[in-house]
Amino acid sequence: MASPIHLKAHRFPPPPLLLLLSLLVVAAAALESEATASTASHQTDAADTTDTAFFIFGDSTVDTGNNNYIKTIPENRADYKPYGQASFFGGPTGRFSNGRVIVDFIAEYANLPAIPPFMQPSADYSRGVNFASGGGGVLPETNQEQAIDLPTQLKNFDKVREKLFEKFGEMRAQEIVSEAVYFISIGSNDYMGGYLGNPATRQLHPPEEFVGMVIGNLTNAIQELYKRGGRKFGFLSLGPLGCLPALRAANPNSNAGDGGCFEDASGLAQAHNNAVNGILLSLQHIFKGFKYSNSNFFEWLAQRMSNPSNYGFKDGVNACCGSGPYSGVFTCGGKQEAEYKLCENPEDHVWWDSFHPTEKIHEQFAKALWDGPPSAVGPHNLQDLFFDKDKATIADLVDGTVEQDFMY
């Protein structure tokens, strides 16, 4: 990893919200005719209830095996031991964890089967698809040609949508798409590798401008999914990136009073989360039927690192698998061709490897997102979204012309 520059967290304000909102208003008006044209020919029987599908977009936090099928670097794969050593799958699957990841638990809570990776041959897409890719970013330039970026994941969703229309017909397929929950967990790689690890990008863009680029592209992705019929969204916000074992190990000021956390990376994550919160709050007013679930993963994870014993852990700082300071050198696994240490009990650790948390963290956060109270998860929890009885009808989609829903 390239040596990161020294930025101050308080210099990372969110991008100008009014500018982003003005872009949303313009985009919303453009969506009106397209949304009407794509749904006017569909009719839905209100008495016909269906199971909710689950579509997943993101990076290694939610990748369940897509990178097994693409050409990439060893660091972007997890289909080898000791990954997956927890007994649930019986071995490595491509998940960047010692076992399951957050979307596996969410699918279980929703009474869904394991959601297949998009790249998996002959996968059944009718109950949902996972498009996530380890190393992927919101921006296509992030880890280019080494991962599946978010714009490409959206193109893959279009392919799935076409197959659903071919298999089930327009009415049923549109119903699946409009009733589905869309879960998005992405952005860390844009800031860690795409910005802090890229001197050329840092010279071109001040931090607040780069955050604005990421937020703008993420907002566009949400709008594209809405245009295709998506109405219910779940989000995994960014954690304190500077406190990952890898960034603690790479921090030149690791003896600082903050316990070695790299303040610059965490500042970018905070600015990103603040901007996303503002965008989501606005989208629910601009787009008819738009519902979302979000929470403060930054503080949630920081608490478990600072006070691990309060949450059933013994170590909130050091990775279970890796080498060097904090086990933060990313050497976990046979394909890394380097020696590494492996802890005896991953359940004692917040961190599994240099960048990724243990299955236990994934499960705890999945539970919090699933049925957490409004004070912790909002404005909806995922249980509300999956078992929402106020199902959107085609009339809602047609009548929901964004013009009449603007909040000026």
Side-chain angles (χ1 to χ4, degrees), residues 78-101 104 319-322 332-334 340-349 351-353 357-360:
D79 56 342
Y80 47 82
K81 295 180 179 180
Y83 289 91
Q85 70 172 26
S87 60
F88 188 84
F89 295 111
T93 61
R95 290 165 171 82
F96 292 79
S97 165
N98 59 307
R100 288 168 285 182
V101 294
D104 293 313
C320 172
C321 185
C332 183
Y340 63 92
K341 294 181 179 180
L342 182 65
C343 70
E344 292 184 4
N345 187 6
E347 298 299 290
D348 289 339
H349 288 253
W351 297 104
W352 161 246
D353 66 16
T358 56
E359 179 186 61
K360 189 173 179 179

Side-chain angles (χ1 to χ4, degrees), residues 1-262:
M1 175 180 292
S3 299
I5 60 173
H6 300 288
L7 305 172
K8 296 297 183 181
H10 65 269
R11 293 181 183 173
F12 301 159
L17 190 55
L18 288 177
L19 174 59
L20 289 172
L21 291 181
S22 65
L23 294 175
L24 282 177
V25 171
V26 173
L31 290 183
E32 177 181 349
S33 59
E34 294 185 54
T36 302
S38 65
T39 59
S41 63
H42 306 308
Q43 296 179 351
T44 299
D45 183 353
D48 183 19
T49 59
T50 59
D51 294 324
T52 302
F54 191 21
F55 295 112
I56 301 155
F57 303 82
D59 52 27
S60 59
T61 54
V62 289
D63 185 357
T64 56
N66 279 307
N67 278 16
N68 298 351
Y69 303 97
I70 67 172
K71 184 179 180 180
T72 186
I73 58 177
E75 290 81 0
N76 285 346
R77 296 186 66 154
D79 56 342
Y80 47 82
K81 295 180 179 180
Y83 289 91
Q85 70 172 26
S87 60
F88 188 84
F89 295 111
T93 61
R95 290 165 171 82
F96 292 79
S97 165
N98 59 307
R100 288 168 285 182
V101 294
I102 184 170
V103 291
D104 293 313
F105 293 104
I106 292 170
E108 177 185 333
Y109 303 155
N111 299 320
L112 290 170
I115 305 302
F118 170 76
M119 300 296 294
Q120 178 180 308
S122 303
D124 180 5
Y125 298 151
S126 58
R127 306 297 297 278
V129 192
N130 189 321
F131 302 96
S133 172
V138 175
L139 303 177
E141 297 82 8
T142 298
N143 292 328
Q144 195 166 25
E145 298 183 355
Q146 296 177 358
I148 307 170
D149 56 62
L150 185 57
T152 303
Q153 291 180 35
L154 291 179
K155 293 178 182 177
N156 291 338
F157 172 72
D158 285 338
K159 296 176 182 178
V160 168
R161 190 166 173 266
E162 290 175 4
K163 290 186 177 182
L164 291 176
F165 273 74
E166 292 173 1
K167 181 176 181 179
F168 297 107
E170 291 188 1
M171 184 177 70
R172 177 72 174 95
Q174 186 62 38
E175 185 179 52
I176 292 173
V177 170
S178 63
E179 298 295 345
V181 171
Y182 298 78
F183 192 81
I184 301 174
S185 175
I186 198 166
S188 297
N189 295 306
D190 296 285
Y191 297 113
M192 290 190 296
Y195 190 75
L196 293 175
N198 190 327
T201 300
R202 294 200 306 269
Q203 288 182 345
L204 286 173
H205 307 286
E208 62 273 13
E209 181 179 292
F210 187 81
V211 173
M213 291 166 55
V214 175
I215 294 298
N217 280 270
L218 179 59
T219 304
N220 180 68
I222 298 170
Q223 291 180 156
E224 288 297 316
L225 290 172
Y226 180 90
K227 181 173 68 175
R228 287 155 176 76
R231 293 296 181 267
K232 299 182 288 187
F233 294 81
F235 296 90
L236 186 64
S237 58
L238 302 188
L241 299 180
C243 297
L244 273 61
L247 272 72
R248 289 184 193 261
N251 185 5
N253 299 318
S254 59
N255 295 322
D258 60 4
C261 293
F262 184 32

Side-chain angles (χ1 to χ4, degrees), residues 303-314:
Q303 292 170 5
R304 281 153 179 77
M305 286 189 289
S306 300
N307 303 289
S309 61
N310 292 348
Y311 304 95
F313 301 95
K314 294 181 179 179

